[in-house]
Amino acid sequence: MIMPLIKGLQITLSHLFKKPVTLQYPDERPQIAPGFRGLHALKVSHENAKCVACYLCPTVCPAKCITVEAGEDANHNKFAAKYEIDMLRCIFCGYCVEACPVDALKMTEEFELANYKRADFTFTKDRLLEKK
Amino acid sequence: MVNLTIDNTQVTVAKDATIFDAAKSVGIKIPILCHDKKLHPFGGCRMCLVEVEQMKGRLIPACTTPVTEGMIVRTTTDEIVKARKLVLELLLLKHPLDCPVCDAAGDCDLQNLTYEYKVNCNQFSDEKFNHAIDYENPLIERDMNRCIHCGKCARICDEIVSYGAYTFINRGIEAKMGTPFDGPLSCEFCGSCISVCPVGALISRPFKFKARWWALNKVKSVCSYCGTGCQLTLGVKDNKVLTTVYDENQGFHNGQLCTRGRFAYQFVNSDNRLTTPLIKKNGKFVEAGWDEALKLVSEKLGAAKGSVGALTTAHLTNEELFLFEKLFRGTLGSDNIDHSAGYAHAALTEGAQKAFGTVTSPSEIADIQKTNLLLVIKTDAYETHPVLGFEINLGVKRQGVSLRIVSDKKGKISRLPGAKTSVHKPGTEIAFVNALANVIIAENLAVAGVAGLDQLKAALADYTPEKVAAVTGVAAEEIVALAKEYAAAEKALIMLPIGLGYPGHDAALAQAVANLAILTGRIGKEGSGLLIMGEKNNSQGAADLGIYPKNGGLKGAAIIDGAANGQVKALFIAGENPVVSYPNRKKVEAALEKAEFVVVSDLFLTETAQFADVVLPAVSFAEKNGTFTSVGRRVQQINKAVKPAGLAKSDFEILNDLNAALSGKRYGNVAEVFGEIAATVPAYQGLTLSGLGDEGAVLPVAPAAKLNAVAAPAVPAAAGKLALVTGSALYHSGTLSRFGEGPMYVCGDAYAELSEADAKALKIEEGDAITVKSDVGSVSLKAKVGKRLPAGVVFAPYHFADASINTVTDGAAVTLVTVGK
């Protein structure tokens, strides 16, 4: 009866002398693991988004949070006239990145997505463009 | 019948079937890229290779090999799979892998087969094609880099459309699908080539990049333009109709469509649609609620009672037309109800009524290909009903049908193999047809014992070929020869297009041509008889449901006059646009201006709606359920594909509400009204909405044929004046197609077509601005010069609102005009 109690307190006691695991966020920053799935970014090549608006990401998205509208540019090429992700719906599964046939999408290490207004969680194409 | 074994399955098929057909009949799928069930086998893609026990040692193309008794076929062996993989590798050698940006992806035969056969690497390597892409055409985008040389586009254009816009040019690796002299595409823009293209080499430009194929919701419906009754599959996404999807198994036409069917759907989601009721206050339209608008309308209609005039378009569904009749003839007790200006349906409601005792034509569409001789009245049959035109093409080219045309001008069908066109002077159709009847009687070619033969003989005594030759300008021998040919044919079908563009195609002409069919005993026989082709998608339904004055009420144009002279106290116009399509625009405008109270329910604020006191927003065919009855009496269902625009309501709801407000019966839903139609309209007896299915039902007909002698009207003529005839442009149908974008890209302006001789004499060239002037008015149009017109004849289509041709016409079959620069 008394032995399990002592065993438990022993563990508690030992932790008093160990380095704490709690991170003093935001003063301390976490080390992001490789492959972490944070905020999406649209990759840029030759100063344009690589996205060709093939609609595979909205097709594969299980949360139905991606809205794409294709447009035709001056050279008759297809581009994403509208590319929006509703972060409130997104489940960060990364299927969109996996589905992309032209490697136009990636998931960054950015995880601080809190905001004040509902509308601010809709990430438009401008906000999603990769920052260099 | 032939018996054979395919993959251990016993198959019995007709002896003219191919291995491909036989396999298809038992559900065995053989992959193929160059075949469509409407086309002749081609054997170009080599994907359908199969193994035949009796022909071991090589693989046999299934699509071009006829079946033989006892054949043992295997469709998938290791060797076959290897061969098919090789074919795909060779195709992918040149085919660009731009599926992410290609609109065909998802509906691409090559993509599907590549996936199915797991072709994920290629043992060959080569450069891709570098052909220039045709971005210029507003409807059909051609990217020949994606072409896999199946030849389907060229074959469908040749075999079915009979235009021949494409052919292979160059040889070997240089070969590509090209246009004449590799120039820009200039064709009928029916888009059949797009529909059969197995890859994305030909795509619809209005639909380009709008949505991916798999994201579209496919809704089956029926086209709402002409009376052919083509079935459509609408591609819908986000409450918008974005395209029409090809389905080779739809309808008698196997998915084949014309320009307006394929490219003119945009009116459904147009930004110019009316979304709220409007009430005119102090000369300006003010937005109003439904309650206010309907209250005002029901008050005014209730006050006018029997002196209400009501015009509708034959675009409405049967159920809506039923309510229309119930409201105006039943509840309000007015017989002043009509559609299509009163003359465009007279061939059915008066002509067929007198000749056959029923308001329908006794033949059906299937008869076109079963006949031996087709007699088409006016080449315009092709322009008003293009898909029936394709049926004519197929009949002539595949079934060996002899084509004879009686027309005031030549047209596309005049160029079909063996076709003979008798070009008569405008407006002399009845004299011509009477002369044919005269010859048939005189030569004793009429069947014995036809009632009324003697009276007809006496009445037509004056229409001898010689006399009529002088009137029509067609040689007497030609008339005699045609009459003899017609009478001698085992089966003969007459096609008579009717519509707002053809005031001459009236009850008298219908009776005159019916006489021919009755005289020669063609009524009630397969592949024979008379097919009266109603102009609008539900012209036949409007005739069946009695949308015309029955007890001495005012007819279409007279209702307009009545509105001007006070005889009609309130005018209700459902979807009709009399300002543009009825004779004499100035008169119609003045009448609507003077009218005491005008209500218009329409999709758009049309030229007519501008004159209304109340405008009610109605919905298009894609936003409602119901049925249409097409040429050949086929009743088909339409299905709601998108939600109504804004606050718009269907005419069903509008008429139902008004009927209830005026203490008539309120009906529950479309099915209930269809049940009521089935119970009260004899031809629809026993039909149920759910029983119609995808194919629809052909209404029965029991014609009681009766000969009626009709006199040919005198044709006006004056020296130095040209004869103006109106009609339909190939790309348009009525005044609605103006709101569909496709037709406006290729035919956006009103024009007048002149013969080469007249153009030369008047020093007019193609594209010149010309003035056409008659006693009624004058209008400025773009000139078109055509080889098909005889000297002295001018042709103008009636669809356009700006410079509408009804500014110069007044409902006569022929209008005498002077043309100048």
Side-chain angles (χ1 to χ4, degrees):
Chain A
M1 166 76 191
I2 196 84
M3 278 314 285
L5 194 68
I6 294 170
K7 239 181 187 170
L9 285 171
Q10 221 171 15
I11 293 171
T12 313
L13 209 65
S14 74
H15 273 275
L16 287 178
F17 305 100
K18 279 188 187 160
K19 202 176 165 239
V21 289
T22 315
L23 212 55
Q24 291 306 309
Y25 179 83
D27 297 331
E28 289 174 8
R29 308 289 300 178
Q31 180 118 45
I32 309 271
F36 177 79
R37 301 197 296 265
L39 179 69
H40 313 67
L42 286 168
K43 291 191 189 174
V44 171
S45 162
H46 299 91
E47 299 184 358
N48 279 318
K50 281 170 84 177
C51 174
V52 294
C54 73
Y55 289 78
L56 284 190
C57 45
T59 305
V60 77
C61 179
K64 299 267 168 284
C65 67
I66 309 178
T67 314
V68 183
E69 261 171 39
E72 191 176 359
D73 69 12
N75 299 322
H76 303 286
N77 290 324
K78 200 177 185 185
F79 77 105
K82 181 178 168 188
Y83 193 102
E84 270 179 24
I85 302 182
D86 181 356
M87 286 303 161
L88 289 174
R89 288 193 70 96
C90 181
I91 56 167
F92 298 91
C93 64
Y95 279 10
C96 46
V97 177
E98 212 174 307
C100 185
V102 292
D103 192 23
L105 195 63
K106 66 175 181 183
M107 292 184 105
T108 61
E109 300 184 340
E110 196 181 334
F111 60 88
E112 290 154 309
L113 302 171
N115 229 321
Y116 292 98
K117 281 193 223 114
R118 223 160 239 285
D120 290 334
F121 289 95
T122 304
F123 281 69
T124 56
K125 191 179 175 187
D126 288 341
R127 287 174 75 191
L128 288 169
L129 280 178
E130 178 183 38
K131 305 192 177 52
K132 279 189 173 162
Chain B
M1 299 304 267
V2 175
N3 300 298
L4 68 158
T5 314
I6 303 175
D7 289 346
N8 302 321
T9 309
Q10 285 291 329
V11 189
T12 308
V13 286
K15 64 176 182 190
D16 60 348
T18 61
I19 298 176
F20 181 84
D21 299 332
K24 201 173 159 190
S25 71
V26 289
I28 296 171
K29 212 182 128 228
I30 297 177
I32 197 158
L33 290 164
C34 68
H35 189 64
D36 187 282
K37 78 171 187 188
K38 294 193 287 294
L39 302 175
H40 287 309
F42 184 57
C45 73
R46 300 283 129 178
M47 269 308 285
C48 65
L49 296 175
V50 291
E51 195 181 279
V52 177
E53 187 68 37
Q54 288 84 343
M55 295 188 243
K56 267 269 173 80
R58 65 191 173 98
L59 296 174
I60 310 292
C63 72
T64 52
T65 312
V67 290
T68 52
E69 187 65 38
M71 220 178 209
I72 299 168
V73 182
R74 269 177 291 275
T75 64
T76 34
T77 64
D78 290 346
E79 195 194 353
I80 293 171
V81 170
K82 215 174 132 193
R84 288 182 185 157
K85 262 186 154 173
L86 181 72
V87 169
L88 288 170
E89 278 180 40
L90 288 167
L91 287 174
L92 292 169
L93 191 58
K94 286 292 188 187
H95 187 84
L97 299 180
D98 60 353
C99 308
V101 293
C102 174
D103 273 345
D107 187 30
C108 172
D109 293 350
L110 183 62
Q111 192 186 38
N112 292 346
L113 288 171
T114 302
Y115 184 77
E116 189 182 334
Y117 283 85
K118 301 185 184 69
V119 185
N120 32 32
C121 58
N122 204 330
Q123 55 183 306
F124 311 103
S125 67
D126 195 3
E127 281 174 17
K128 302 286 181 193
F129 291 126
N130 193 19
H131 298 307
I133 301 171
D134 177 10
Y135 296 114
E136 301 309 314
N137 193 292
L139 296 175
I140 301 170
E141 184 170 309
R142 293 182 302 133
D143 181 352
M144 286 306 132
N145 300 310
R146 291 180 185 150
C147 177
I148 57 163
H149 297 188
C150 70
K152 275 205 257 183
C153 50
R155 283 181 289 138
I156 201 159
C157 197
D158 175 32
E159 290 178 27
I160 295 177
V161 185
S162 269
Y163 192 90
Y166 299 106
T167 186
F168 280 115
I169 52 175
N170 298 332
R171 289 288 175 272
I173 200 73
E174 307 266 281
K176 77 164 186 176
M177 191 50 75
T179 49
F181 308 104
D182 213 6
L185 196 59
S186 112
C187 63
E188 289 176 14
F189 304 109
C190 65
S192 300
C193 49
I194 298 175
S195 70
V196 292
C197 184
V199 292
L202 298 166
I203 57 166
S204 157
R205 193 151 177 81
F207 176 57
K208 192 184 178 189
F209 299 159
K210 287 276 189 338
R212 300 319 295 266
W213 191 82
W214 58 81
L216 293 174
N217 187 16
K218 285 118 192 147
V219 183
K220 286 186 177 180
S221 195
V222 178
C223 182
S224 74
Y225 282 108
C226 79
T228 309
C230 298
Q231 294 188 12
L232 287 179
T233 304
L234 299 172
V236 182
K237 195 190 161 205
D238 299 336
N239 205 36
K240 277 197 169 130
V241 175
L242 292 178
T243 185
T244 49
V245 179
Y246 175 60
D247 178 357
E248 67 167 13
N249 296 318
Q250 263 192 314
F252 73 90
H253 50 106
N254 297 314
Q256 190 71 14
L257 295 175
C258 67
T259 315
R260 55 228 196 190
R262 200 182 306 279
F263 293 118
Y265 50 82
Q266 290 92 335
F267 71 92
V268 175
N269 297 110
S270 168
D271 292 336
N272 298 326
R273 281 281 301 273
L274 288 168
T275 52
T276 156
L278 303 171
I279 295 177
K280 202 177 253 171
K281 287 174 184 162
N282 301 325
K284 267 191 183 160
F285 283 119
V286 183
E287 291 191 359
W290 273 105
D291 292 342
E292 187 191 350
L294 286 180
K295 193 164 164 262
L296 178 62
V297 174
S298 59
E299 269 169 21
K300 293 279 185 182
L301 293 183
K305 277 260 169 187
S307 48
V308 166
L311 294 168
T312 179
T313 168
H315 282 312
L316 264 54
T317 64
N318 285 325
E319 293 73 20
E320 289 166 343
L321 293 172
F322 179 84
L323 287 182
F324 188 85
E325 210 240 354
K326 269 271 163 298
L327 170 61
F328 292 105
R329 187 171 284 145
T331 309
L332 290 168
S334 166
D335 196 38
N336 307 328
I337 66 171
D338 209 347
H339 71 281
S340 305
Y343 64 75
H345 60 73
L348 285 169
T349 56
E350 290 171 38
Q353 177 70 46
K354 280 193 188 131
F356 307 118
T358 157
V359 293
T360 62
S361 46
S363 302
E364 51 186 285
I365 291 174
D367 289 326
I368 298 174
Q369 291 205 48
K370 289 181 188 155
T371 189
N372 299 116
L373 184 134
L374 259 184
L375 180 63
V376 179
I377 313 293
K378 267 214 176 75
T379 52
D380 300 64
Y382 189 88
E383 275 85 357
T384 53
H385 299 73
V387 177
L388 290 184
F390 298 159
E391 292 291 301
I392 299 176
N393 293 341
L394 286 171
V396 171
K397 290 162 85 172
R398 291 217 179 132
Q399 314 296 339
V401 174
S402 309
L403 180 60
R404 299 291 175 267
I405 305 154
V406 175
S407 179
D408 49 17
K409 57 191 163 296
K410 288 195 171 182
K412 188 187 157 189
I413 50 173
S414 306
R415 296 200 299 266
L416 284 171
K420 278 187 204 152
T421 312
S422 304
V423 181
H424 58 77
K425 284 185 188 151
T428 59
E429 291 93 344
I430 296 176
F432 192 107
V433 174
N434 277 347
L436 294 178
N438 177 297
V439 175
I440 289 172
I441 298 171
E443 303 265 340
N444 283 328
L445 297 168
V447 286
V450 182
L453 181 62
D454 294 334
Q455 288 96 308
L456 186 71
K457 188 177 177 182
L460 299 184
D462 256 359
Y463 294 92
T464 59
E466 292 71 27
K467 280 186 189 164
V468 170
V471 179
T472 60
V474 181
E477 303 81 63
E478 201 177 324
I479 297 173
V480 174
L482 178 59
K484 282 183 179 168
E485 263 183 301
Y486 175 77
E490 191 193 329
K491 291 184 266 182
L493 178 69
I494 305 175
M495 292 173 79
L496 174 69
I498 56 175
L500 286 160
Y502 316 113
H505 287 203
D506 53 6
L509 182 61
Q511 288 172 59
V513 289
N515 286 345
L516 290 183
I518 298 166
L519 274 177
T520 48
R522 259 67 186 257
I523 302 302
K525 289 189 185 152
E526 191 186 50
S528 290
L530 167 62
L531 192 62
I532 301 175
M533 299 147 66
E535 187 190 21
K536 301 270 163 56
N537 54 338
N538 206 18
S539 289
Q540 185 60 59
D544 290 340
L545 291 165
I547 308 298
Y548 52 92
K550 281 182 169 170
N551 311 311
L554 299 175
K555 281 184 167 190
I559 291 175
I560 299 280
D561 293 339
N565 62 29
Q567 201 180 346
V568 169
K569 299 273 186 281
L571 180 58
F572 190 97
I573 302 175
E576 196 83 311
N577 193 356
V579 170
V580 180
S581 61
Y582 281 27
N584 201 340
R585 181 169 185 155
K586 225 179 246 163
K587 201 174 89 180
V588 176
E589 283 181 336
L592 291 175
E593 190 72 59
K594 257 182 148 178
E596 283 175 37
F597 185 71
V598 182
V599 193
V600 172
S601 79
D602 208 322
L603 308 182
F604 299 93
L605 196 64
T606 58
E607 295 70 22
T608 301
Q610 304 279 4
F611 289 94
D613 296 289
V614 180
V615 181
L616 304 173
V619 303
S620 68
F621 78 111
E623 295 150 276
K624 62 189 175 192
N625 291 314
T627 58
F628 292 149
T629 309
S630 57
V631 172
R633 317 180 310 279
R634 187 180 286 276
V635 190
Q636 300 180 107
Q637 273 192 81
I638 53 164
N639 296 304
K640 189 173 173 175
V642 293
K643 286 191 209 119
L647 295 175
K649 283 186 181 183
S650 68
D651 287 287
F652 184 91
E653 292 169 275
I654 296 172
L655 295 165
N656 207 5
D657 287 349
L658 285 174
N659 198 24
L662 291 161
S663 53
K665 186 184 169 188
R666 178 183 285 280
Y667 291 87
N669 55 24
V670 170
E672 187 189 329
V673 173
F674 191 79
E676 188 96 5
I677 294 173
T680 53
V681 183
Y684 292 70
Q685 209 158 30
L687 292 180
T688 57
L689 203 53
S690 52
L692 289 178
D694 283 346
E695 281 302 300
V698 175
L699 300 175
V701 64
K706 182 173 171 290
L707 293 170
N708 297 285
V710 286
V715 180
K721 290 213 172 182
L722 300 178
L724 170 74
V725 288
T726 57
S728 200
L730 177 61
Y731 313 100
H732 285 278
S733 181
T735 56
L736 180 64
S737 57
R738 291 179 297 140
F739 299 99
E741 285 167 27
M744 293 310 269
Y745 288 130
V746 287
C747 182
D749 296 314
Y751 65 87
E753 198 175 339
L754 292 147
S755 68
E756 281 182 325
D758 293 329
K760 209 173 156 193
L762 294 163
K763 297 195 177 64
I764 290 168
E765 277 176 40
E766 178 102 17
D768 284 353
I770 53 169
T771 309
V772 178
K773 209 171 145 192
S774 75
D775 295 342
V776 179
S778 90
V779 66
S780 179
L781 298 164
K782 231 164 84 177
K784 215 172 138 180
V785 181
K787 279 196 175 77
R788 68 190 192 118
L789 291 171
V793 179
V794 189
F795 168 79
Y798 78 93
H799 322 280
F800 306 96
D802 301 329
S804 64
I805 198 66
N806 66 346
T807 320
V808 292
T809 62
D810 196 13
V814 181
T815 310
L816 293 177
V817 293
T818 47
V819 175
K821 272 206 202 182

